[in-house]
């Protein structure tokens, strides 16, 4: 088992009466809900925090928790300076946990059903404008042309394909790292992507990204080792590329481009969505391409594009 997939026990340093339910819930999230490892770790940490708070108040039984306990917990987080996003996520974790606990008969009522948390700020990090995006791909082309030996060129072609695919398809870094060669449908110009919750979707692949991917796959044997299997992208040790390596590649590439903000792979996903909506794509299509379960998650990008429209109006309209 990959050690990154292992779930930390959320029950450590928790009253014995609270621990068994947390361990059972962690198993439920993994084997029944099939949540991603980082999501499970976040939820485990959230509930361990709640359990520690309850234990400090002398509560050692989930069935004794009421709505006031949960509100006191969120208020304590706020007093300690927790970010609004953290408080909102922990409230969500509590609602998910208690809904499961009621459904499995572990508690008689759901104290989190009406739990409210401060609305998380919905601000996007800085993103690439179109000029900076063009500069990124010009830099990548120059790097390929300047490569002095086949292996160096293979690394440059791989990095270019990574950036192209991230931007063309709006993939999460975990989705990019999980790509297999059999998932590219060249005839239909689609990539099959396995996203959150192990859900599969097909996303269109732009022509420049197709060319970059084909160029990389042609030289992939120079880097791929026996452990590579069918993965599309490999690290320099020859196995499936690690998300941390992809993040380093993206940061280093953008750092070489004047006026480009310091972004990671998720910043390219934001840029793709924003540029699609600015170009006239409908929200539902963008939702499908990004693999968002809820249209509400995608709607944040309409806020960004609307703000840009307002800025353009204020700057250009004589009666703004």
């Amino acid at each position: 088992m990959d050690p990154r997939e292992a779930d930390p026990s959320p029950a450590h340093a928790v009253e014995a009466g609270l621990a068994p339910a947390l361990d059972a819930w962690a198993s439920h999230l993994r084997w029944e809900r099939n949540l991603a490892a980082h999501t499970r770790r976040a939820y485990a940490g959230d509930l361990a925090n709640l359990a520690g708070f309850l234990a400090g108040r002398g509560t050692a039984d989930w069935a004794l928790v009421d709505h006031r306990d949960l509100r006191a917990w969120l208020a304590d987080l706020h007093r300690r300076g927790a970010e609004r996003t953290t408080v909102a996520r922990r409230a969500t974790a509590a609602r998910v946990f208690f809904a499961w606990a009621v459904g499995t008969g572990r508690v008689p009522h759901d104290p989190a059903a009406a739990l409210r948390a401060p609305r998380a700020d919905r601000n996007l990090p800085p993103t690439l404008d179109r000029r900076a995006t063009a500069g990124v791909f010009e830099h990548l082309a120059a790097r390929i042309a300047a490569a002095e030996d086949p292996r160096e060129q293979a690394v440059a072609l791989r990095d270019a394909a990574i950036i192209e695919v991230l931007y063309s398809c709006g993939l999460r870094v975990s989705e990019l790292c999980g790509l297999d060669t059999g998932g590219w449908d060249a005839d239909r110009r689609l990539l099959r992507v396995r996203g959150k919750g192990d859900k599969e979707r097909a996303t269109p692949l732009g022509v420049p990204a197709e060319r970059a991917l084909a160029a990389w796959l042609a030289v992939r044997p120079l880097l791929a080792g026996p452990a590579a299997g069918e993965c599309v992208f490999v690290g320099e040790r020859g196995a499936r590329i690690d998300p941390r390596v992809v993040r380093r590649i993206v940061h280093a590439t953008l750092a070489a481009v004047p006026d480009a903000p310091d972004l990671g792979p998720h910043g390219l996903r934001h840029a793709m969505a924003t540029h699609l909506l600015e170009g006239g794509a409908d929200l539902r299509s963008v939702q499908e391409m990004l693999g968002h379960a809820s249209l509400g998650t995608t709607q944040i990008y309409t806020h960004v594009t609307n703000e840009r429209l307002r800025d353009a109006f204020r700057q250009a309209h004589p009666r703004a």
Side-chain angles (χ1 to χ4, degrees), residues 21-46:
L22 291 186
D23 287 334
W25 184 60
S27 295
H28 163 75
L29 294 180
R30 179 168 192 176
W31 302 113
E32 298 180 40
R33 291 282 301 277
N34 200 25
L35 296 185
H38 72 276
T39 303
R40 300 195 307 268
R41 284 194 291 268
Y43 274 0
D46 293 339

Side-chain angles (χ1 to χ4, degrees), residues 126-138:
T127 190
L128 287 172
D129 59 28
R130 293 175 184 272
R131 184 179 64 177
T133 302
V136 166
F137 294 116
E138 289 169 4

Side-chain angles (χ1 to χ4, degrees), residues 174-196:
S174 59
E175 294 170 345
L176 178 103
C177 295
L179 288 175
D180 288 328
T181 52
W184 179 21
D185 186 339
D187 293 334
R188 299 169 63 196
R189 293 175 54 193
L190 294 173
L191 274 183
R192 288 198 304 276
V193 178
R194 194 164 296 279
K196 286 187 175 181

Side-chain angles (χ1 to χ4, degrees), residues 7 15 18 80 85 94 100-101 144 151 157 165 170 173 177 186 193 196 212 215 222 228 302 307 314 320:
D7 288 322
E15 290 283 347
L18 301 176
R80 292 171 180 270
T85 51
W100 167 82
I144 293 168
R151 186 176 176 84
L157 287 167
V165 171
V173 66
C177 295
V193 178
K196 286 187 175 181
L222 292 175
T302 65
E307 283 298 315
R314 285 192 290 265

Side-chain angles (χ1 to χ4, degrees), residues 264-309:
H266 219 70
L268 297 179
R269 178 172 163 89
H270 292 320
M272 174 266 204
T274 302
H275 295 168
L276 277 174
L277 289 168
E278 288 177 342
D282 67 275
L283 196 62
R284 183 69 67 181
S285 297
V286 177
Q287 176 196 4
E288 292 181 7
M289 281 185 271
L290 293 176
H292 285 158
S294 167
L295 190 63
T297 307
T298 317
Q299 284 176 330
I300 185 173
Y301 297 106
T302 65
H303 170 73
V304 175
T305 53
N306 287 342
E307 283 298 315
R308 292 186 179 181
L309 287 174

